[in-house]
Amino acid sequence: MQTGDVTRFAWGALCGYPTRTLLMLLAMGIGVAAVVVLTSLGEGARRYVTGEFASLGTNLIIVIPGRSETAGISPTTMMGETPRDLTLDDARALTRSYSVRRIAPLNVGSADINWRGKQREVTVLGTTHEMLAIRHWELSQGKFLPATDLDLATPVCVIGSKIRNELFGAQRAIGEWVRLGDRRFRVIGIMGSEGRSIGVDVQETVMIPVASAQQLFNTPSLFRILVEAKSREAIEPVKQFIIDTLQQRHQGEKDVTVITQDAVLATFDRIFSALTYAVGGIAAISLIVAGILIMNVMLVAVSQRTSEIGLLKALGAAPRQIIVLFLSEALLLSGLGAALGLLLGELASMLLRQLFADLPAHAPAWAVVTALLVAILTGLLFSLLPARRAARLDAVLALSRR
Amino acid sequence: MISLEQIHRDFQVGDQVVHALDDINLDISAGEYVSIMGPSGSGKSTLLNLIGLLDRATAGHYLLNGEDVTTLSDVEQAATRNRRIGFVFQSFHLVPRLSAAGNVELPLILAGMPAAERKARVAQTLQALNLTDRAHHKPDQLSGGQRQRVAIARATVTEPAVVLADEPTGNLDHKSGGDVINILESLNQRGITLMVVTHDAEIGDRATRRIKMRDGRIESDTQADADR
């Protein structure tokens, strides 16, 4: 028997029972679509979170004052409780490594911003011009903080676009003087709309030079130091360099916590990957169910078409040929169902992407391939039994049944 | 060409053994026209199925063209059935979703013949049976007589040496039954060995050799007058 003929015969048999075939295609399709949609959701969430972290900066190392007994992030490290402060001199010392590309000290506080009687409370970030490159931020207007010495308290500020809109409305903001707390600053730049990162909405912050912030908040200490390593490979040496340098500077006390963004990123990556595997696995159960349905349907087909099987035997079909015919039918059924499911699933994840623009809901390739393979394999596996039953039918008995 | 030696076929029914065929010895030469008659349960259908390799003998030897086919494997038997034997059934056994041409094509598909060659053979066979204008009709669009003609086309498209007909007129009215018998007889005149199982004495008596069976044994085996 030729392959084309087998396919045509199986196709004819499927078309002969349209309701049954449609229902089976639907069962298989829903199974595959479930895997595709659920894994694309998981993958979308993973990509969303890792994307958010990547927007914090690449090859980033964060130095936090204070140290908890166990490594990692704990409430105390977040609060920054420490016997010794991180100072601008500490920050300056960290630039003395070849592997460090740039650093940005960071001071955070809140203050009232004031312009011609309009006032609101804002988050104030004290930092340097390096921050723009480290965080991959973009300006929409003007310039960022000037590249001056860290100690120089220049009275300039860069404001978020939301603050600009609220304070200045349609009026020109660049060049205007605003009051922050008890000091005056000249607006030299506006942040672009891109530039949102976890925890901080850049649009609602005001950035001033770090020395100005220290004066404004009357503190010599820093909230964080962000360090960007030259390459991914340099992250570990730089981390060690930071720990050693700061230990020397702090009279031998290891009183800082150094977090690499990679570690955080890897953790989230693992969590979301595990989540994706889990939901994919759960969805795959529906494929097995669909496989069992196929077995059921094929068993019914064998008893419905007993006389046809008898006839095929009388016409000279060997048992193998009968098995091949029924397996092809199941293969066609599960293959088409899988294709239908893939189509449905991709459409659904496209819809998800339309509805939630932030969520890159693409089903990962491994999930698609696995879903298709599992669908086709279960279809084949579960129709082996019915096909063998058909092949073993006694021709005389099969023909005598009407 | 068909030679049965001491053929037995026993069935187990409950705890009883039924001798459907009991020591059958029969020789049929090529081109013969044989009718098998007898009451229900006399073993005539079992005999036909056995000759058609659909059934296996419990004991004895069956030589087809001098070859012992009782010892062949399932696969070899299937191939022999496909090439040498054509079946015509009482209830036609056409596949309802296939057209007349599709049904006739089936044995050629199973034999693995290329499509172009198949189409030519099918068209030729359908034409010989006056079915060309019915080629694309489904079985349920055909009359009983037409269906049986399609079945005969299917049985002969492989150009078998033997055609076995089991009550070919059983589901047909008198006229179309007569047509079907005429067609079968014309096949026989072209040299095909024809065996017809029937209840109908009128049809049975048209054969040149008449075998009567009773209780799994051959009761009588008579040759019609040579002048008929």
Side-chain angles (χ1 to χ4, degrees):
Chain A
M1 254 176 119
Q2 300 183 338
T3 323
D5 293 327
V6 174
T7 320
R8 210 166 314 128
F9 188 88
W11 176 248
L14 288 182
C15 293
Y17 306 88
T19 323
R20 184 199 86 163
T21 305
L22 272 179
L23 284 176
M24 274 323 300
L25 287 182
L26 209 61
M28 210 39 148
I30 288 174
V32 173
V35 174
V36 170
V37 171
L38 288 180
T39 53
S40 76
L41 265 180
E43 177 75 3
R46 188 183 72 83
R47 283 207 219 171
Y48 174 74
V49 169
T50 53
E52 285 287 286
F53 269 92
S55 75
L56 284 176
T58 39
N59 303 332
L60 200 60
I61 301 159
I62 302 167
V63 186
I64 303 172
R67 179 167 190 92
S68 52
E69 280 305 304
T70 50
I73 308 170
S74 75
T76 45
T77 60
M78 284 305 195
M79 305 295 280
E81 276 177 28
T82 176
R84 268 177 212 83
D85 295 329
L86 271 179
T87 62
L88 278 181
D89 287 333
D90 288 335
R92 210 174 279 120
L94 294 185
T95 58
R96 291 185 206 126
S97 164
Y98 175 74
S99 301
V100 171
R101 176 171 285 148
R102 43 174 86 94
I103 66 150
L106 187 65
N107 227 334
V108 182
S110 79
D112 290 336
I113 188 168
N114 212 311
W115 183 72
R116 293 192 189 166
K118 288 187 202 162
Q119 181 175 337
R120 67 159 284 181
E121 196 182 11
V122 291
T123 309
V124 177
L125 298 182
T127 183
T128 65
H129 80 286
E130 302 276 30
M131 192 69 172
L132 191 71
I134 290 182
R135 282 293 185 86
H136 303 304
W137 283 336
E138 273 171 31
L139 280 173
S140 71
Q141 259 182 344
K143 291 178 294 189
F144 199 65
L145 302 175
T148 53
D149 192 85
L150 289 181
D151 287 328
L152 205 62
T154 326
V156 292
C157 70
V158 177
I159 61 177
S161 58
K162 194 169 175 190
I163 292 171
R164 182 213 171 283
N165 291 339
E166 286 177 6
L167 234 52
F168 296 94
Q171 281 164 287
R172 186 183 165 83
I174 303 269
E176 289 296 318
W177 286 88
V178 294
R179 181 169 285 280
L180 262 179
D182 56 355
R183 280 156 197 274
R184 297 200 335 133
F185 293 86
R186 186 205 269 280
V187 178
I188 57 165
I190 317 278
M191 295 307 295
S193 55
E194 300 296 314
R196 206 198 134 83
S197 47
I198 294 171
V200 197
D201 186 353
V202 179
Q203 308 315 328
E204 291 191 78
T205 56
V206 170
M207 274 164 267
I208 57 177
V210 63
S212 307
Q214 284 179 327
Q215 290 174 5
L216 186 66
F217 301 124
N218 191 24
T219 165
S221 69
L222 293 174
F223 176 65
R224 297 276 190 276
I225 301 172
L226 306 185
V227 180
E228 185 183 328
K230 283 214 166 126
S231 65
R232 202 182 168 80
E233 291 70 41
I235 290 176
E236 271 310 306
V238 168
K239 185 178 173 183
Q240 200 51 51
F241 161 77
I242 293 170
I243 292 172
D244 294 345
T245 312
L246 292 182
Q247 188 179 4
Q248 263 178 15
R249 293 183 52 83
H250 291 182
Q251 290 84 40
E253 292 269 353
K254 282 191 181 178
D255 58 359
V256 294
T257 304
V258 179
I259 309 175
T260 58
Q261 190 197 322
D262 267 23
V264 182
L265 198 65
T267 308
F268 274 97
D269 201 58
R270 271 201 302 279
I271 292 171
F272 278 95
S273 293
L275 201 70
T276 308
Y277 286 130
V279 292
I282 292 167
I285 293 174
S286 64
L287 286 181
I288 308 287
V289 174
I292 293 173
L293 273 177
I294 284 196
M295 170 153 85
N296 196 9
V297 161
M298 294 310 286
L299 282 174
V300 172
V302 170
S303 51
Q304 261 179 348
R305 298 196 338 234
T306 301
S307 74
E308 181 184 321
I309 295 162
L311 171 78
L312 287 175
K313 289 196 154 188
L315 295 180
R320 258 186 97 93
Q321 284 181 310
I322 306 243
I323 289 183
V324 166
L325 282 175
F326 273 86
L327 284 190
S328 316
E329 205 175 315
L331 196 65
L332 216 56
L333 204 58
S334 50
L336 285 175
L340 179 80
L342 186 60
L343 192 75
L344 281 178
E346 290 294 351
L347 279 178
S349 27
M350 206 155 82
L351 193 72
L352 276 175
R353 291 199 294 274
Q354 295 283 323
L355 288 178
F356 308 102
D358 282 342
L359 196 71
H362 290 275
W366 62 261
V368 172
V369 171
T370 317
L372 292 183
L373 280 183
V374 169
I376 289 167
L377 277 181
T378 50
L380 261 188
L381 203 70
F382 282 112
S383 53
L384 265 178
L385 177 81
R388 285 171 63 115
R389 182 173 289 189
R392 284 199 192 137
L393 275 181
D394 181 74
V396 176
L397 284 179
L399 280 169
S400 67
R401 261 182 56 176
R402 277 250 58 196
Chain B
M1 78 178 286
I2 292 171
S3 170
L4 303 179
E5 292 170 11
Q6 296 168 356
I7 289 287
H8 290 259
R9 180 69 176 97
D10 302 335
F11 289 107
Q12 188 84 32
V13 181
D15 51 0
Q16 252 186 326
V17 175
V18 177
H19 302 284
L21 294 178
D22 191 2
D23 195 25
I24 300 283
N25 290 286
L26 185 64
D27 277 289
I28 295 168
S29 10
E32 273 197 276
Y33 177 11
V34 185
S35 70
I36 305 173
M37 288 186 290
S40 299
S42 58
K44 54 192 192 310
S45 287
T46 308
L47 179 62
L48 203 72
N49 288 334
L50 202 120
I51 291 173
L53 294 172
L54 281 179
D55 206 353
R56 282 175 183 272
T58 317
H61 288 281
Y62 168 18
L63 305 178
L64 181 64
N65 278 348
E67 185 191 5
D68 191 342
V69 289
T70 31
T71 55
L72 291 182
S73 72
D74 283 352
V75 177
E76 289 165 325
Q77 284 204 347
T80 309
R81 212 151 54 219
N82 183 264
R83 270 182 287 118
R84 303 236 175 112
I85 297 163
F87 280 98
V88 178
F89 305 98
Q90 176 176 4
S91 48
F92 323 133
H93 280 300
L94 299 178
V95 179
R97 64 171 182 276
L98 297 179
S99 67
N103 270 286
V104 175
E105 203 179 3
L106 264 183
L108 301 181
I109 291 179
L110 290 171
M113 184 183 280
E117 200 179 330
R118 244 158 42 201
K119 291 275 179 277
R121 285 273 284 272
V122 169
Q124 193 188 337
T125 312
L126 284 174
Q127 197 186 1
L129 289 164
N130 250 335
L131 284 165
T132 306
D133 56 335
R134 293 275 176 267
H136 300 294
H137 287 55
K138 295 278 167 66
D140 56 9
Q141 296 166 317
L142 299 172
S143 71
Q146 286 167 339
R147 288 187 210 180
Q148 196 58 301
R149 265 151 60 201
V150 173
I152 293 171
R154 182 179 62 197
T156 54
V157 75
T158 52
E159 293 172 356
V162 190
V163 167
L164 305 173
D166 193 351
E167 304 272 11
T169 60
N171 280 0
L172 297 177
D173 60 53
H174 190 260
K175 186 186 171 297
S176 28
D179 288 346
V180 163
I181 289 297
N182 282 336
I183 293 168
L184 289 173
E185 282 174 358
S186 72
L187 293 176
N188 174 244
Q189 276 152 23
R190 279 171 30 212
I192 293 177
T193 311
L194 176 65
M195 295 185 75
V196 182
V197 163
T198 183
H199 268 110
D200 189 339
E202 192 186 326
I203 290 167
D205 285 345
R206 290 170 69 153
T208 48
R209 182 174 172 188
R210 299 151 201 167
I211 296 172
K212 287 204 168 57
M213 293 190 65
R214 181 174 292 275
D215 298 334
R217 288 172 176 275
I218 293 177
E219 194 179 50
S220 70
D221 183 352
T222 53
Q223 203 75 31
D225 302 336
D227 61 352
R228 187 185 173 267

